[in-house]
Amino acid sequence: MAEAPHTSVLLAEVLEALAPQPGQLIVDGTFGAGGYSAAFLARGAEVVAFDRDPAARAYAAAFGNEPAFRLVENRFSDMCDFIGEGRADGIALDLGVSSMQLDEAARGFSLMRDGPLDMRMSADGPTAADLVNTASAAELARIFRDFGEEREARRIARAIERRRADEPFARTLDLAAVVEKALGGRRGAKIHPATRVFQALRIAVNAELAELEAGLLAAEHALKAGGRLAVVSFHSLEDRIVKTFLAERAGRTGSVSRHAPPAAKGPDPSFELLFNKARTAGSAETAVNPRARSAKLRAAVRTAAPVWKAAA
């Protein structure tokens, strides 16, 4: 089996959290280059991997005719449609954009490489260029603020609106230059001035936060009692969603008093936290894989309690 061309983030910690065993069914919710899948297979597990990026096929081909592996070209939020409910022993979700997507300029994810302003993880739907060239300044400002936590969202949106009136945006470096100019350069900053804008556009184009929320609900359905969920996030928006979901499902929100009558206490916890604080990469890993610096791992074990009903 060929090795993945990029190092999987927090691999040792994910393996510790999921503890895959021979014969178990493990879902690799974000296949990428297959680093997690290869590690699960090496432990003797059966792996069903999901990825909506057509480029994943090339990396899946390295697994040959491995009978214990299957790639599903679909969103991980649809996992129950392919494996059923209550069957998974473990689920791993490695969120955000992959190193391979960033490295390929033609995908339009990177603001450091010139390419078409695309950013789609799948091969269909509107591109980032479509969004930048057609959304109102108010909508762009909302996207930059909500998905990029950009404090100068309105200034950037107005600069984009002015520029596109003369010429529409089509290339990544063109947009990055306009954002940098709107912010006065911010020379000497640790990150490029357009980093938050690019993150926001990518999240909006791919509906990443909605997909994460739906994927967590799907994992609750797909895991059997005793099954484990491990989620690696790379920015605060993702981590906040994961932390809130697991804390709520584990009964850690504190929203209802322990002295309240049973009817007011809500459903029984459907998850039990494996550790209270997110795990992060050590200095040895970050030295060889800078992407790991922002990674956070949260994990939990599925209880025997029923799936929580959706709020009315």
Side-chain angles (χ1 to χ4, degrees):
M1 184 186 306
E3 293 184 359
H6 295 270
T7 305
S8 297
V9 172
L10 292 171
L11 177 58
E13 290 80 359
V14 168
L15 285 172
E16 180 184 357
L18 294 186
Q21 303 294 321
Q24 288 188 335
L25 173 61
I26 306 296
V27 173
D28 184 352
T30 43
F31 176 71
Y36 287 154
S37 287
F40 301 149
L41 288 168
R43 296 289 183 94
E46 175 189 350
V47 177
V48 178
F50 290 80
D51 204 310
R52 53 175 155 164
D53 188 343
R57 295 176 203 160
Y59 298 108
F63 289 77
N65 295 319
E66 168 60 59
F69 173 78
R70 175 163 63 114
L71 174 66
V72 178
E73 294 183 35
N74 212 308
R75 298 170 182 267
F76 58 71
S77 60
D78 292 329
M79 67 177 76
C80 289
D81 293 341
F82 297 90
I83 68 167
E85 297 197 9
R87 292 195 59 241
D89 295 287
I91 298 173
L93 303 178
D94 178 8
L95 307 175
V97 65
S98 72
S99 298
M100 294 79 65
Q101 290 166 332
L102 286 172
D103 290 345
E104 189 177 346
R107 302 298 300 276
F109 288 103
S110 176
L111 53 78
M112 304 305 293
R113 296 175 174 85
D114 190 39
L117 193 56
D118 193 317
M119 298 193 189
R120 294 173 299 175
M121 290 183 178
S122 60
D124 55 6
T127 66
D130 294 329
L131 184 57
V132 167
N133 290 321
T134 62
S136 67
E139 176 63 7
L140 287 175
R142 183 196 67 78
I143 289 170
F144 301 155
R145 181 185 65 250
D146 293 352
F147 298 156
E149 300 179 298
E150 173 56 66
R151 288 175 294 181
E152 300 295 337
R154 285 189 292 178
R155 179 192 298 182
I156 296 168
R158 288 195 296 266
I160 289 173
E161 185 180 46
R162 289 193 298 269
R163 205 327 277 281
R164 75 187 187 192
D166 297 326
E167 181 185 0
F169 289 91
R171 310 290 294 181
T172 53
L173 294 190
D174 183 20
L175 176 61
V178 169
V179 174
E180 184 174 11
K181 183 177 179 181
L183 295 176
R186 290 186 185 176
R187 295 295 181 185
K190 291 183 179 180
I191 63 172
H192 190 284
T195 298
R196 294 184 179 88
V197 166
F198 271 61
Q199 171 186 297
L201 287 172
R202 191 200 78 222
I203 290 174
V205 165
N206 298 289
E208 290 179 33
L209 301 186
E211 170 67 5
L212 172 57
E213 291 173 344
L216 293 171
L217 293 173
E220 185 183 21
H221 282 266
L223 284 166
K224 62 175 62 173
R228 297 182 170 206
L229 172 65
V231 186
V232 178
S233 61
F234 290 89
H235 57 74
S236 60
L237 297 175
E238 293 172 338
D239 182 58
R240 194 175 304 136
I241 290 172
V242 177
K243 180 180 180 180
T244 299
F245 176 86
L246 291 179
E248 179 185 59
R249 293 303 199 268
R252 299 291 189 90
T253 58
S255 57
V256 179
S257 169
R258 62 186 178 89
H259 301 294
K265 290 185 178 180
D268 292 334
S270 59
F271 280 97
E272 179 181 345
L273 301 183
L274 271 175
F275 32 84
N276 294 322
K277 188 176 181 181
R279 298 282 175 85
T280 56
S283 57
E285 180 173 1
T286 57
V288 298
N289 187 8
R291 183 171 180 253
R293 291 173 186 160
S294 59
K296 289 186 177 181
L297 167 66
R298 297 188 185 274
V301 180
R302 184 72 169 87
T303 70
V307 170
W308 284 28
K309 294 181 178 178

